[in-house]
Amino acid sequence: MRRIVLKGLAFRKTRAVLTALAVVLGVAMVSGTYVLTDTIKSAFDQIFQGSYKNTSAVISGREFVSESASGNATVPEPLLAKVRKLPGVAAATGQITGVAGAGDQVQLIGKDGKPLSKGGAPSLGFGIDPSLPQFNPLRLTAGTWAIGPGQVVIDKGTAGNEGFKVGDTVPVAADGPRESFRIVGIAKYGNVDSLGGATLAVFDIPTAQRLLRKEGRFDSISMSAKPGVSDQQLVREVRPLLPPSAKVSTGAAEANKASDDTQKFINFIQYFLLAFAVIALFVGSFVIFNTLSITIAQRAREFATMRMIGASRRQVLRSVLLEGFVIGLLASVTGLFLGLGLAKLLNAIFKALSLDLPQAGTVFATRTVVVSLLIGTIITVASSIVPAIRATRVPPIAAVREGSQVPPTRLSPYSGGFALLLVLASVVALVIGSFANGLSTALTLLLLGVGCLALFVGVALVAKRLVPPIVEVVGQPAERLGGAPGRLARDNAVRNPARTASTAAALMIGLALVTLVATLGAGLRSSDRNALEQQVRADYVVTSDNGFTQFPAAAVKELPAAPGVGVASAVFDDNAKAFGKSIRVDGVDPATIARTYNFQWSQGSDATLAALGPNGAIIKQDYANDRHLKVGDTFQVTTPSGRRPTFVVRGISKPPVFDKIDPLLGKVIVSQDTFSRFFERPKVLLAFITLDRGVSPQATARLKQALARFPDAKVQSKADWVDERVGGVNQLLNLLYVLLALSVIVSLFGMVNTLVLAVFERTRELGMLRAVGMTRRQVRRMIRQESVITALIGAALGLPLGLFLAALVTQALQDQGLGFSVPVGSLVAFTVVAVIAGLLAAILPARRASRLDVLQALQYE
Amino acid sequence: MTDSPPVPDGQRRDGPLVSGQDLHRRFGEGESAVDALRGVSLDIASGGLTAVMGPSGSGKSTLMHILAGLDRPTSGRVFIDGAEITAMDDNHLTRLRRTHIGFIFQFFNLLPMLNARENILIPLEIAGDKPDQAWVDEVVGKVGLQDRLTHRPSELSGGQQQRVAIARALVSRPKVIFADEPTGNLDSASSRDILDLLRDSVDSFGQTTVMVTHDPSAAAIADRILFLADGQIVRDQGRSDASTIVAAMAELGAA
């Protein structure tokens, strides 16, 4: 039997390949995801291992607050001298280092005057002592290390991208106005070719300390042990010397911790991409199911003959399953290797969307091979189970009857009811998942995920009955434009509604998901726009170049005095910790903020601002609810440098609901004076400006001029700022579209398959049509229109389904202020995409059909 | 699947190899119902070639489908080699097909992806039996396909394809071969060859064969000819020449 199956596959190569393609892409996505994330992980690991290679122990400031703008606590410089005197220490050096999570940036400025780092990737600033190269994680590829003010070494990736050479001058901006530095060297981390979007600026220690306002401080002190002293012994020796804000650990522990931190981030990317691989595989399983069902119907006589010459049902079942297994395995192997290429493509996509990630040599792990092969094979075999069972139901007598059809299964009378039940059950699962309170996250995700998949399957099953009425509508243009071939195309589409439905269903899934994404995106944009417009009453808003990181306070310091400026009110911002959780704390100017920002008060009034005093705070209503805080209550926060001020609640604000999703100000607001007392090196997130005479091009130019020395500060009119902030979600949407396009391509293969098989099946009929005078061109048109009709069915099912899912999500997120908004333009675009998909899918089958030899086709048995 | 013989040896009798008892077959229900067989009883002994003749719609194909276990009668019983196949489940029937029944089709029904040799050997492969090389060689020699064995069906003429099909039917040494219009899709020269071959296999191997045909020259090779009309056996005669058969058919057509 095995031989018969393999020979059969070889005999029907095109069909096998077309079937396999449906799985190849999904598997490639799985494999590509693993290759990409493993490669990124390896690049990070190389960075960290290299950084701590010769380091026995490291003293660093504690991380009191994660991801703070001012970075971790720092270490006092005099500690270095004490460390060097310890008996176990062979050598020690202080460092200013961007790697250990510090949020302070030293930006390299490009020729366009903008910071070079992209997409929120860090602009790392280093201060190192070149006389102790063993502690230096970097390797020079050209020039020398920086010695003295005015010298900088930059990373190889940035130098290559921007065409910087040793001897060039590059503007640098840290916590102050831009300054010019001479590039004296180019460096890189070990074998890491690209740091992704990050840039690297390396100075000598005093210069780095000055730029980052860390005079007299280090980020860390690295040391090596004398021979015979273990790393642990060294750690114990160092510990008594430390101030409370510092800690010491071995180099290895530090490297592992850094590696673990990136693992979380990489896992996120991995799961995110794998989700799309799963969607593509799910669509692929539809395509396989459909293709196999059709081929099995066409091979009914073959199976019957096998039965006649003694094959048992079980042998027929096994032969079809074996066929699925072989196709799945071949597809998986192909997908596995295609994944290597796809990893590069994914990286290019991330790059195009300014989400660069570091890269070193490609990593192809065993896990990648095992998972890819298993998942592709299992999905294919699972999708062939139902077709295989159908094959066993072909009675032997079909071998002697012409035009035998695969009989319906015993359960088919109940299939309609089952489909409706499935749709109903999945909707219930989705509703429970969306609205029920108190479910665990895992259960919620399970309900939503499984509910969504089940809904797709259910709709695909119900679709059989929806095909004829839908074709009534979407077949109109074909009939109007196509004449007789158009009408035939329409009739062909309803000839086997189950087949058309299941082909269209594959496309439906992709279209439903893009519709969901587009609709949610439109809802997010319009809700965000309303919320922002309500809150801000300034004419202009100053932000960092990327709009969401903090920038030097010095940039906006002199704005109030600039000509024409009425009020300029800056918002300081950093993270702190309160009630054990990280929380944003903002510092506002009580005298001016209310003239640029529209406070909605739950308790208090604009007058509360003036009465904040040295430890008064305004908190948001939800925070007050979450932590049971009332006006007059006190609470303690921990700042990144380890201070622990206690604030008194003086007022409670109630910003628009959508502020929960896109918070403009922090949950805790204090006065700028208070902020500056507890947070080191305060930075600004936003500055609101109102002008005496409103927005004008001249005023914009003047403000730009006033900020010219601060390349990271960007001034925009309120309208432009809102547009940009609201449009931030577009980058995410584009990424999702690209990833969902994969599923649409998979469904395209399904359409090609169905059409090729239909052409094969109708060989004699096509010969007849040609014999009675249909031209090749008309044959092509007929096939094309059938394909477009199928695609439009996919759209007719997918778009409403996507809207329904979006409405469900919107309802579930209503308490976050998310509104529902139908993106009409996008829906039209998706319909056009579906039509184009239909046209593309028809190219090969239409060509085949039109090239049939009339005489042979008529004799075809 | 384990292969136990469908007919325990103890039950084997010297009676007819194929036996049908009062077979009725009704297609459809109510007013549009058609009675294809209306009480057919027959016994076919081991060793000869029996032709079933009759005009279209006479029920001859239905009779053969029922005798070969492809279709079930509405009432009546069929025995092959003493075992009642009308009472068998699918698994038993499958085993019976492997050991007792060979089939020759009007449209040959060869598997297009296999060459001639592979097509001939599939019944053994499916049953998991080792081919008896001497027997295979003899069968191949008999059908005269020694130099065509590596050709695929698409590379063979109709007559050659039917030879492959006959070899496939013979290879598992079935008790009975059913042939369904074996010359119905062939030109007259090829038909002649195939009929000679069928006759030869009966004579040399004692192969019991039941053939449905509407072609008098095909029926002329049979040892016994059954005439069917309107679902009943109307005539049962011994070896006859083609003109006698034509006359008998004309008589039936007139009746």
Side-chain angles (χ1 to χ4, degrees):
Chain A
M1 283 308 272
R2 196 169 306 153
R3 220 158 47 112
I4 301 174
V5 169
L6 296 180
K7 294 230 158 160
L9 279 174
F11 185 72
R12 293 180 291 264
K13 255 184 237 101
T14 321
R15 231 182 270 184
V17 168
L18 282 174
T19 316
L21 276 176
V23 204
V24 166
L25 286 184
V27 174
M29 186 72 188
V30 172
S31 145
T33 298
Y34 281 132
V35 170
L36 178 69
T37 50
D38 288 350
T39 303
I40 295 169
K41 178 74 166 68
S42 135
F44 273 117
D45 283 352
Q46 283 188 40
I47 291 175
F48 299 131
Q49 301 304 337
S51 302
Y52 296 104
K53 198 170 58 195
N54 299 310
T55 304
S56 307
V58 189
I59 302 171
S60 52
R62 286 184 189 278
E63 185 191 68
F64 291 105
V65 175
S66 60
E67 290 166 24
S68 77
S70 49
N72 294 346
T74 49
V75 180
E77 190 164 341
L79 187 60
L80 177 60
K82 289 191 217 160
V83 166
R84 280 179 171 155
K85 282 190 199 120
L86 287 173
V89 172
T93 185
Q95 287 185 330
I96 299 292
T97 155
V99 173
D104 23 12
Q105 313 266 297
V106 180
Q107 290 173 324
L108 295 172
I109 307 304
K111 287 168 185 157
D112 59 355
K114 299 278 177 199
L116 288 175
S117 69
K118 279 175 280 178
S123 312
L124 304 171
F126 275 70
I128 57 155
D129 179 356
S131 68
L132 291 167
Q134 67 266 45
F135 299 122
N136 188 346
L138 301 162
R139 197 155 63 78
L140 273 182
T141 61
T144 60
W145 294 109
I147 299 170
Q151 295 196 355
V152 66
V153 170
I154 67 169
D155 65 285
K156 192 160 183 280
T158 305
N161 290 342
E162 300 297 316
F164 283 125
K165 298 181 307 294
V166 172
D168 287 355
T169 302
V170 61
V172 164
D175 201 0
R178 61 194 261 174
E179 298 174 35
S180 273
F181 279 75
R182 196 161 59 82
I183 299 171
V184 295
I186 312 285
K188 69 180 209 171
Y189 273 111
N191 294 322
V192 178
D193 304 320
S194 157
L195 290 169
T199 61
L200 204 58
V202 190
F203 309 91
D204 66 4
I205 291 173
T207 308
Q209 285 172 326
R210 179 180 66 76
L211 282 170
L212 290 163
R213 295 199 289 145
K214 291 183 179 174
E215 288 92 348
R217 319 285 301 181
F218 293 130
D219 283 324
S220 63
I221 294 172
S222 299
M223 67 204 82
S224 56
K226 282 203 173 124
V229 179
S230 78
D231 293 358
Q232 273 75 16
Q233 276 172 308
L234 196 62
V235 164
R236 280 196 294 276
E237 215 172 273
V238 169
R239 199 163 277 145
L241 299 179
L242 297 181
S245 65
K247 64 182 171 58
V248 60
S249 50
T250 64
E254 201 70 5
N256 286 343
K257 182 182 174 298
S259 182
D260 288 349
D261 288 347
T262 52
Q263 185 68 56
K264 282 180 205 136
F265 156 72
I266 288 164
N267 282 348
F268 173 76
I269 299 179
Q270 196 174 78
Y271 293 139
F272 176 75
L273 291 177
L274 282 179
F276 291 91
V278 168
I279 296 171
L281 285 167
F282 180 66
V283 174
S285 69
F286 263 77
V287 172
I288 293 176
F289 167 79
N290 203 30
T291 311
L292 284 178
S293 298
I294 301 172
T295 42
I296 272 158
Q298 293 182 348
R299 287 161 60 199
R301 173 175 279 192
E302 183 183 318
F303 292 118
T305 305
M306 301 277 280
R307 294 297 318 277
M308 286 283 307
I309 54 187
S312 63
R313 280 199 174 150
R314 184 195 282 245
Q315 280 174 315
V316 170
L317 182 82
R318 276 199 306 226
S319 80
V320 177
L321 289 180
L322 178 63
E323 201 165 304
F325 175 79
V326 174
I327 290 178
L329 192 63
L330 290 179
S332 302
V333 171
T334 314
L336 175 66
F337 289 103
L338 202 64
L340 287 170
L342 192 67
K344 297 251 182 320
L345 184 69
L346 282 171
N347 196 48
I349 291 169
F350 278 128
K351 216 171 193 161
L353 296 169
S354 306
L355 299 166
D356 295 27
L357 296 159
Q359 292 281 302
T362 300
V363 180
F364 197 41
T366 320
R367 183 262 280 110
T368 310
V369 178
V370 172
V371 174
S372 301
L373 294 188
L374 271 183
I375 200 163
T377 312
I378 290 174
I379 293 236
T380 316
V381 172
S383 314
S384 50
I385 288 175
V386 172
I389 292 174
R390 281 205 195 139
T392 67
R393 307 208 59 86
V394 175
I397 198 168
V400 295
R401 281 192 186 146
E402 249 204 287
S404 275
Q405 294 207 326
V406 179
T409 56
R410 271 169 299 186
L411 294 174
S412 66
Y414 312 107
S415 72
F418 172 73
L420 280 177
L421 214 65
L422 188 62
V423 170
L424 216 65
S426 56
V427 169
V428 169
L430 286 170
V431 169
I432 294 175
S434 310
F435 297 108
N437 291 321
L439 299 179
S440 69
T441 317
L443 185 62
T444 308
L445 286 177
L446 192 75
L447 277 170
L448 293 179
V450 172
C452 217
L453 294 189
L455 182 63
F456 288 140
V457 174
V459 171
L461 291 174
V462 173
K464 183 164 68 173
R465 280 154 232 268
L466 300 178
V467 162
I470 294 177
V471 170
E472 258 329 290
V473 179
V474 301
Q476 292 288 343
E479 200 174 346
R480 295 261 166 79
L481 301 172
R487 206 179 58 244
L488 284 169
R490 222 184 86 169
D491 294 344
N492 282 336
V494 288
R495 194 188 267 205
N496 188 335
R499 191 189 283 184
T500 310
S502 139
T503 308
L507 181 63
M508 165 195 85
I509 297 171
L511 289 177
L513 291 174
V514 293
T515 304
L516 167 65
V517 165
T519 312
L520 289 180
L524 283 169
R525 278 195 301 265
S526 75
S527 309
D528 199 13
R529 178 177 295 278
N530 288 340
L532 294 175
E533 280 174 350
Q534 265 180 49
Q535 292 177 81
V536 175
R537 48 165 73 145
D539 297 322
Y540 284 91
V541 179
V542 186
T543 62
S544 68
D545 189 52
N546 65 25
F548 54 87
T549 50
Q550 295 85 352
F551 61 95
V556 292
K557 201 163 178 192
E558 275 143 35
L559 275 182
V565 171
V567 179
S569 193
V571 177
F572 292 175
D573 178 86
D574 204 343
N575 279 4
K577 200 185 239 175
F579 301 101
K581 287 260 168 66
S582 199
I583 181 183
R584 261 180 66 194
V585 176
D586 283 0
V588 299
D589 175 7
T592 56
I593 184 69
R595 289 160 69 188
T596 56
Y597 178 88
N598 193 10
F599 276 101
Q600 298 287 316
W601 295 100
S602 174
Q603 286 192 50
S605 67
D606 287 356
T608 312
L609 290 161
L612 277 176
N615 53 10
I618 297 159
I619 59 174
K620 287 185 186 169
Q621 179 70 59
D622 330 311
Y623 197 61
N625 296 347
D626 289 350
R627 302 297 171 200
H628 308 292
L629 291 171
K630 302 184 303 293
V631 170
D633 288 353
T634 60
F635 62 102
Q636 196 183 42
V637 305
T638 307
T639 69
S641 54
R643 292 203 227 167
R644 294 192 163 79
T646 298
F647 295 142
V648 185
V649 179
R650 298 278 183 219
I652 296 174
S653 72
K654 202 176 174 198
V657 212
F658 192 81
D659 187 70
K660 285 188 206 171
I661 292 176
D662 182 20
L664 188 54
L665 298 186
K667 284 184 177 169
V668 175
I669 296 171
V670 297
S671 75
Q672 278 179 358
D673 291 343
T674 310
F675 190 92
S676 305
R677 254 190 306 136
F678 298 112
F679 290 85
E680 310 232 337
R681 302 180 297 281
K683 287 193 160 196
V684 171
L685 183 64
L686 297 158
F688 301 117
I689 302 171
T690 55
L691 296 188
D692 297 335
R693 315 169 83 159
V695 177
S696 71
Q698 293 78 7
T700 311
R702 268 203 307 276
L703 287 171
K704 280 200 168 134
Q705 187 53 42
L707 292 166
R709 290 187 306 139
F710 297 90
D712 197 24
K714 179 164 72 178
V715 62
Q716 288 169 295
S717 67
K718 177 184 167 187
D720 290 348
W721 169 75
V722 169
D723 281 348
E724 190 182 275
R725 183 158 177 133
V726 163
V729 72
N730 289 347
Q731 184 183 324
L732 178 65
L733 291 191
N734 289 338
L735 179 62
L736 294 175
Y737 289 151
V738 170
L739 292 171
L740 288 171
L742 193 74
S743 309
V744 174
I745 293 173
V746 171
S747 59
L748 204 76
F749 288 125
M751 291 167 61
V752 176
N753 282 355
T754 309
L755 283 174
V756 164
L757 294 169
V759 167
F760 172 77
E761 205 169 66
R762 299 178 199 152
T763 302
R764 201 193 285 207
E765 185 181 310
L766 288 165
M768 187 272 290
L769 288 171
R770 295 271 287 120
V772 300
M774 191 180 258
T775 63
R776 282 173 193 263
R777 204 193 171 93
Q778 284 175 316
V779 170
R780 280 200 297 270
R781 191 191 298 162
M782 180 176 75
I783 305 286
R784 244 186 346 252
Q785 285 177 343
E786 183 180 346
S787 180
V788 169
I789 288 173
T790 308
L792 285 174
I793 296 172
L797 294 169
L799 302 189
L801 201 53
L803 286 174
F804 165 73
L805 290 173
L808 205 63
V809 174
T810 309
Q811 277 299 314
L813 292 179
Q814 210 171 23
D815 60 346
Q816 313 273 319
L818 180 60
F820 185 75
S821 166
V822 177
V824 179
S826 302
L827 296 189
V828 172
F830 299 153
T831 311
V832 172
V833 166
V835 171
I836 293 171
L839 292 174
L840 286 177
I843 293 175
L844 173 80
R847 186 181 306 171
R848 279 196 165 198
S850 72
R851 289 196 182 158
L852 282 178
D853 182 282
V854 178
L855 205 60
Q856 270 181 15
L858 281 173
Q859 284 169 345
Y860 179 85
E861 185 254 307
Chain B
M1 188 187 302
T2 56
D3 275 278
S4 65
V7 185
D9 283 345
Q11 282 178 23
R12 205 168 297 243
R13 290 166 298 185
D14 289 333
L17 183 61
V18 180
S19 171
Q21 297 175 1
D22 194 25
L23 298 170
H24 289 260
R25 180 69 169 100
R26 166 174 289 203
F27 291 104
E29 279 168 39
E31 303 223 331
S32 61
V34 175
D35 287 306
L37 294 182
R38 300 192 289 179
V40 172
S41 296
L42 78 170
D43 287 335
I44 291 167
S46 198
L49 198 163
T50 305
V52 180
M53 284 216 72
S56 335
S58 61
K60 60 185 189 299
S61 289
T62 305
L63 175 62
M64 189 188 67
H65 294 160
I66 286 173
L67 291 179
L70 292 179
D71 195 3
R72 290 184 192 274
T74 313
S75 70
R77 310 204 294 171
V78 174
F79 296 84
I80 291 184
D81 203 17
E84 185 184 350
I85 68 165
T86 33
M88 282 182 186
D89 66 12
D90 190 74
N91 283 333
H92 278 92
L93 269 177
T94 298
R95 272 176 261 160
L96 183 87
R97 283 193 197 108
R98 288 177 183 181
T99 51
H100 282 60
I101 298 176
F103 215 96
I104 298 168
F105 304 86
Q106 181 179 359
F107 294 103
F108 326 132
N109 286 30
L110 300 180
L111 298 186
M113 62 282 199
L114 303 183
N115 65 27
R117 181 204 303 277
E118 292 160 344
N119 263 297
I120 293 171
L121 293 176
I122 333 184
L124 301 177
E125 200 171 324
I126 285 174
D129 293 340
K130 273 238 147 53
D132 168 354
Q133 199 52 52
W135 173 243
V136 172
D137 290 345
E138 192 173 352
V139 166
V140 169
K142 178 68 74 190
V143 299
L145 282 170
Q146 295 91 329
D147 55 346
R148 286 277 183 277
L149 286 177
T150 56
H151 289 59
R152 290 244 178 95
S154 57
E155 298 159 337
L156 298 173
S157 71
Q160 287 169 331
Q161 290 188 54
Q162 196 60 304
R163 285 166 177 276
V164 174
I166 292 171
R168 179 177 68 183
L170 286 170
V171 79
S172 52
R173 300 186 208 248
K175 298 270 183 195
V176 55
I177 286 179
F178 291 99
D180 181 14
E181 302 272 16
T183 59
N185 203 33
L186 295 176
D187 60 53
S188 53
S190 305
S191 294
R192 196 67 252 154
D193 288 350
I194 291 302
L195 293 172
D196 290 347
L197 181 57
L198 283 173
R199 184 67 242 171
D200 191 10
S201 69
V202 176
D203 295 339
S204 5
F205 306 136
Q207 176 63 58
T208 314
T209 305
V210 178
M211 171 172 71
V212 164
T213 183
H214 64 270
D215 175 7
S217 58
I221 66 163
D223 301 308
R224 179 185 174 195
I225 307 169
L226 298 172
F227 288 89
L228 247 71
D230 296 330
Q232 283 174 319
I233 294 178
V234 292
R235 201 164 176 152
D236 183 349
Q237 67 188 48
R239 193 149 192 172
S240 317
D241 61 21
S243 53
T244 320
I245 299 168
V246 170
M249 286 289 284
E251 200 177 307
L252 288 181

